[in-house]
Amino acid sequence: MHIVMVASEFAPLAKVGGLADVVGGLSNELARQGHQVDVIIPRYKSLSLDPVLAWQQRIDRLTVPFFDRTVDARVFETQLRGCPATLRIFALEPIEESHLFDRDQLYGYPDDGTRFAWLSRAAMELIALWDQPPDIIHCHDWQTGLVPVLLYEAFQAQLARTRAVITLHNLHHQGVMGDDILHQVHLDPRRLKTPDRLLHPHGELNNLLKGGIVYANAITTVSRTYAHEIRTTEHGCGLQHTLNIHRDKLRGILNGIDTTVWNPSHDPVLSHPYSADAIEGKYENKRVLRERLGLADRFAPIVAVISRLDAQKGCHLMHHALRSSLGHNAQFALLGVAPDPRIGDEFRRLQDDIADHPDAHIELAFDDELAHLMYAGAEILVVPSRFEPCGLTQMIALAYGTVPVVRRTGGLGETVFDANHSGKPFDEVNGFTFDDDNEAGLDSALLRAIGLWHKHPEYFRKLQLNGIRTDRSWARPAREYIEIYTSLTSDS
Ligand code: ADP
């Protein structure tokens, strides 16, 4: 099968969060299972170059309509080192408006709508040039929500047999824009801005994610629980009605993790690799982590947080996790970046409060290497999210024998099974969960985890081993995606 991914992130080249891991991990696995996978992303200034073979310029000038003129694209192609040759990456660079992706950050600019609408149109122009149209175009989140709309409104002549899939990674961001964005890509707002198409549920604007939901042939989201929550609760962020209309197309598929990247037995960041059979190696990494963060060497577990610092992630409870850890004979380490400056200021104040504390460290940066070391060196990872479509950090923690403490929402409740309350067999429990979104709720789980580490180390070890031994690779989810792709292409 020939699958094209169109996305704004792709690990390991361009990453802000889990979207990158999912597009990277799924594409890689589909290619390993023998499918042709082409990934189309913008040529960001910050694309990381290490993991790729040399870029080849494939097209000097791809015509891309842009209002009443064109903003053409240079098309570059490469492959990832160590990945199957059936995985190709295309990076699109706007020639006339080169500033669109020549920026320090991937997102957060007033013209993000223009930037990703251009990507969507340019991707479709590229695909339409190919002699063999792909079977599937798979797009992700609002940034590429216009792709299914363009497929059915503008590219039927060239791509009549191609089907579109959209994955909803987070309903919180929907791309709500004025008519200009449709004019830019040569779509007609008079036709499209209707309640059953792109009209935002409140007000007069267009909703690009809704467009993707309405026009895609299949909709997936990243856990079964979230698939249910977005239709039936406020987690649908206003799109509950649209999702209910299109519910027959909607399916929840729990993400995997890329076990070639997240694997403590061959993680190049770790000076002391380890596995379930030799978990002692984990404690060498704890020593390295303490040195790196300036934490005292003493008999206490390390409680970690690795997260975007966003209201969604339960920042108020992260502050409390720090206090509770220090008050109950544990150390605390946080790695995170706050896109919102007000939240950033709060964490900077907290950082000042604990400066030089021998048992706590806060690192306000995006640092992939430190993240690897923290998953390996910590014993407990706290994920206190208000909502969490799937969540990858708890799954990575499990793979590294780090016991997750999570709020039971979305995918967190499908991956973490409470040591005391889940009713699961002894071999399947792997962490601690809580329901109430408040400090008492968090303590009800975190203090059990810290207490177990101190008082019943052999049982704590059992939780760690249960976590490491579970298969959470992309093999199973990739097969579920293939089932969906196959069902779409067999009825055409
Ligand atoms: P989201 O996509 O909502 O941010 P996920 O749990 O799905 O959350 O994915 C988060 C991914 O980003 C994980 O791979 C995690 O390790 C990584 N990550 C988050 N914050 C940082 C950071 N400050 N530095 C390095 N990696 C980070």
Side-chain angles (χ1 to χ4, degrees):
M1 194 167 285
H2 182 187
I3 303 137
V4 181
M5 298 277 173
V6 188
S8 54
E9 294 184 40
F10 174 74
L13 302 193
K15 169 165 166 173
V16 171
L19 170 61
D21 292 301
V22 173
V23 180
L26 175 61
S27 303
N28 208 337
E29 178 62 29
L30 290 169
R32 262 198 300 260
Q33 291 184 13
H35 303 283
Q36 174 63 47
V37 183
D38 295 330
V39 179
I40 303 180
I41 54 174
R43 190 161 156 93
Y44 296 110
K45 176 168 116 183
S46 58
L47 276 190
S48 110
L49 298 178
D50 282 357
V52 297
L53 305 173
W55 288 98
Q56 310 287 335
Q57 186 165 333
R58 287 287 179 236
I59 300 180
D60 300 340
R61 193 169 268 281
L62 171 74
T63 305
V64 183
F66 190 88
F67 295 103
D68 52 2
R69 59 190 176 105
T70 66
V71 170
D72 297 344
R74 280 194 198 97
V75 180
F76 297 86
E77 183 190 332
T78 191
Q79 293 182 338
L80 288 181
R81 285 179 211 287
C83 287
T86 46
L87 176 61
R88 300 187 297 183
I89 296 129
F90 293 91
L92 309 187
E93 178 180 272
I95 299 173
E96 286 81 13
E97 305 275 333
S98 57
H99 63 278
L100 286 179
F101 297 104
D102 191 12
R103 304 183 188 183
D104 294 336
Q105 311 290 328
L106 267 55
Y107 314 122
Y109 301 99
D111 60 347
D112 279 356
T114 306
R115 300 167 71 221
F116 294 106
W118 180 85
L119 171 71
S120 301
R121 179 85 207 197
M124 292 304 294
E125 298 291 344
L126 174 63
I127 296 166
L129 279 186
W130 292 339
D131 294 339
Q132 286 291 325
D135 299 296
I136 297 290
I137 304 177
H138 188 157
C139 63
H140 300 264
D141 276 355
W142 76 264
Q143 287 88 347
T144 50
L146 282 179
V147 164
V149 185
L150 286 163
L151 175 65
Y152 281 100
E153 293 287 334
F155 285 87
Q156 276 309 282
Q158 302 96 315
L159 299 171
R161 295 175 68 84
T162 299
R163 295 291 172 261
V165 176
I166 187 165
T167 296
L168 313 176
H169 298 260
N170 192 335
L171 268 280
H172 219 65
H173 308 281
Q174 299 183 359
V176 179
M177 318 263 156
D179 291 355
D180 266 10
I181 228 65
L182 300 185
H183 289 303
Q184 176 191 319
V185 297
H186 290 199
L187 291 171
D188 181 1
R190 279 170 313 181
R191 175 174 156 72
L192 295 182
K193 202 167 65 173
T194 60
D196 59 340
R197 292 188 177 139
L198 271 68
L199 181 65
H200 187 54
H202 315 291
E204 291 295 300
L205 297 169
N206 301 285
N207 182 317
L208 304 197
L209 190 67
K210 181 176 168 187
I213 291 169
V214 170
Y215 277 83
N217 303 97
I219 308 158
T220 70
T221 187
V222 289
S223 67
R224 281 193 314 278
T225 311
Y226 194 59
H228 183 71
E229 287 171 346
I230 57 178
R231 287 201 296 114
T232 54
T233 73
E234 75 284 0
H235 293 322
C237 301
L239 291 184
Q240 292 92 317
H241 180 64
T242 304
L243 286 163
N244 273 313
I245 293 174
H246 292 276
R247 66 179 171 278
D248 291 346
K249 300 192 296 190
L250 174 64
R251 182 153 148 197
I253 301 178
L254 193 67
N255 286 333
I257 57 173
D258 189 336
T259 46
T260 59
V261 176
W262 299 110
N263 188 335
S265 63
H266 49 255
D267 183 331
V269 171
L270 306 184
S271 44
H272 303 279
Y274 61 96
S275 64
D277 299 328
I279 197 173
E280 298 69 33
K282 183 168 171 65
Y283 301 100
E284 292 300 317
N285 294 291
K286 182 175 183 180
R287 199 176 42 69
V288 176
L289 178 63
R290 279 179 163 154
E291 271 171 27
R292 164 80 171 74
L293 302 183
L295 296 177
D297 189 12
R298 64 184 197 79
F299 187 71
I302 300 180
V303 175
V305 170
I306 300 168
S307 181
R308 270 188 307 121
L309 303 175
D310 180 286
Q312 172 203 337
K313 299 289 180 180
C315 293
H316 57 307
L317 292 184
M318 294 177 194
H319 289 228
H320 186 70
L322 165 69
R323 286 191 295 273
S324 275
S325 301
L326 295 183
H328 291 85
N329 205 4
Q331 297 183 316
F332 181 85
L334 179 145
L335 171 64
V337 180
D340 174 345
R342 268 173 316 170
I343 298 180
D345 287 344
E346 278 168 31
F347 277 92
R348 262 185 294 281
R349 276 197 294 278
L350 194 63
Q351 196 180 33
D352 289 344
D353 290 347
I354 56 147
D356 301 325
H357 196 298
D359 290 323
H361 183 91
I362 290 181
E363 187 97 356
L364 298 178
F366 191 91
D367 186 336
D368 195 45
E369 269 192 34
L370 180 57
H372 281 253
L373 182 58
M374 282 175 65
Y375 287 118
E379 281 108 339
I380 296 169
L381 184 93
V382 176
V383 191
S385 304
R386 287 200 159 135
F387 72 94
E388 194 59 78
C390 175
L392 294 177
T393 60
Q394 83 283 9
M395 289 204 254
I396 300 170
L398 288 165
Y400 281 71
T402 301
V403 172
V405 170
V406 306
R407 181 149 177 275
R408 206 157 56 112
T409 176
L412 295 172
E414 284 178 38
T415 48
V416 181
F417 307 114
D418 192 280
N420 309 114
H421 305 310
S422 62
K424 288 265 183 192
F426 191 51
D427 280 339
E428 290 177 30
V429 291
N430 57 15
F432 296 88
T433 63
F434 63 100
D435 290 322
D436 292 345
D437 181 12
N438 56 36
E439 295 179 357
L442 171 63
D443 279 345
S444 72
L446 178 58
L447 301 189
R448 282 188 290 135
I450 296 173
L452 195 71
W453 188 91
H454 279 289
K455 294 198 201 98
H456 299 285
E458 67 301 333
Y459 188 24
F460 192 90
R461 170 70 56 94
K462 174 70 179 152
L463 296 183
Q464 294 179 291
L465 294 177
N466 286 353
I468 300 186
R469 287 188 174 132
T470 309
D471 173 19
R472 57 187 63 76
S473 71
W474 272 102
R476 175 201 48 80
R479 280 195 296 273
E480 291 189 48
Y481 279 101
I482 287 293
E483 263 173 40
I484 293 180
Y485 301 156
T486 308
S487 71
L488 297 181
T489 46
S490 52
D491 23 84
S492 58

